[in-house]
Amino acid sequence: MKLIKVLVADDSALMRRSLKEILESSREIEVIGTARDGEDVLQKAAELKPDVITLDINMPKMDGITALKQIIKKEIAPVIMVSSLTQENAQITFDALEIGAFDYVAKPGGTVSSNIKEVTRDLIRKVKAASGIGVVKRLSRKSIAEPQPISKTIYKSGIVSNKFSYKAI
């Protein structure tokens, strides 16, 4: 059985250790590295070639959203956002998903969650799901299925109708 290789990025050493323990409680997952900030995760992702990356949003040097943009642009790996900000500020979660994050898991109880084990099942399930898709190029909303008029039809009544087809631009 091939293990799912995960890179964990969080600025808290306690959270990195806790997330590693949670993920490795599954026989199908191996944490191949940890990163303390956005710059660190980009460097380690290039070296380690993970199948999935878990990424905090609020980190020093380079925040998780900035790192996510680079990870998606370079098509490194699917990303699961793991952050307290996903509950506190829903807009950041939507931004991360729109940028290309595969999914998110909210840390219960804040930035350094002593009760992070509450999300064990959810996190493992999402990491497994993300590993199954490989790297997916997500398109911005503007480029996904915008209706494009392809022809006009004039009916006997004189009414003009636009027919639309959907295509990615």
Side-chain angles (χ1 to χ4, degrees):
M1 171 177 66
K2 181 181 179 271
L3 293 175
I4 300 165
K5 300 180 299 183
V6 179
L7 176 59
V8 173
D10 198 292
D11 60 325
S12 162
L14 174 63
M15 287 306 301
R16 289 191 303 270
R17 188 174 71 237
S18 296
L19 290 169
K20 180 177 171 136
E21 288 173 9
I22 286 170
L23 292 167
E24 290 187 340
S25 70
S26 169
R27 294 181 187 161
E28 299 170 59
I29 298 173
E30 173 188 16
V31 175
I32 59 169
T34 60
R36 64 189 174 283
D37 58 52
E39 290 177 3
D40 195 24
V41 75
L42 291 174
Q43 178 186 0
K44 289 183 177 175
E47 293 170 14
L48 301 172
K49 311 266 189 268
D51 297 316
V52 178
I53 298 170
T54 67
L55 186 60
D56 188 13
I57 292 175
N58 192 13
M59 296 187 292
K61 291 186 183 178
M62 180 188 292
D63 66 275
I65 296 294
T66 304
L68 174 65
K69 289 175 184 176
Q70 291 298 312
I71 291 166
I72 297 303
K73 181 179 177 183
K74 295 176 182 177
E75 299 182 7
I76 296 171
V79 176
I80 307 289
M81 303 306 291
V82 181
S83 177
S84 59
L85 294 179
T86 56
Q87 284 181 326
E88 295 168 7
N89 187 343
Q91 186 58 50
I92 292 174
T93 301
F94 293 129
D95 292 347
L97 293 172
E98 189 170 318
I99 290 165
F102 178 79
D103 210 334
Y104 72 93
V105 174
K107 290 179 186 174
T111 307
V112 179
S113 301
S114 58
N115 53 348
I116 189 69
K117 295 198 180 204
E118 291 176 12
V119 299
T120 297
R121 182 177 291 151
D122 195 31
L123 181 58
I124 289 172
R125 181 178 55 80
K126 289 178 179 184
V127 165
K128 287 179 181 180
S131 74
I133 64 150
V135 176
V136 173
K137 194 181 243 187
R138 302 256 323 235
L139 302 173
S140 71
R141 287 187 176 178
K142 291 179 185 175
S143 66
I144 298 175
E146 280 192 19
Q148 300 294 314
I150 56 171
S151 68
K152 290 186 178 184
T153 303
I154 300 176
Y155 295 100
K156 289 180 185 177
S157 65
I159 298 172
V160 176
S161 170
N162 286 327
K163 292 183 181 179
F164 290 90
S165 70
Y166 290 86
K167 65 179 183 177
I169 299 174

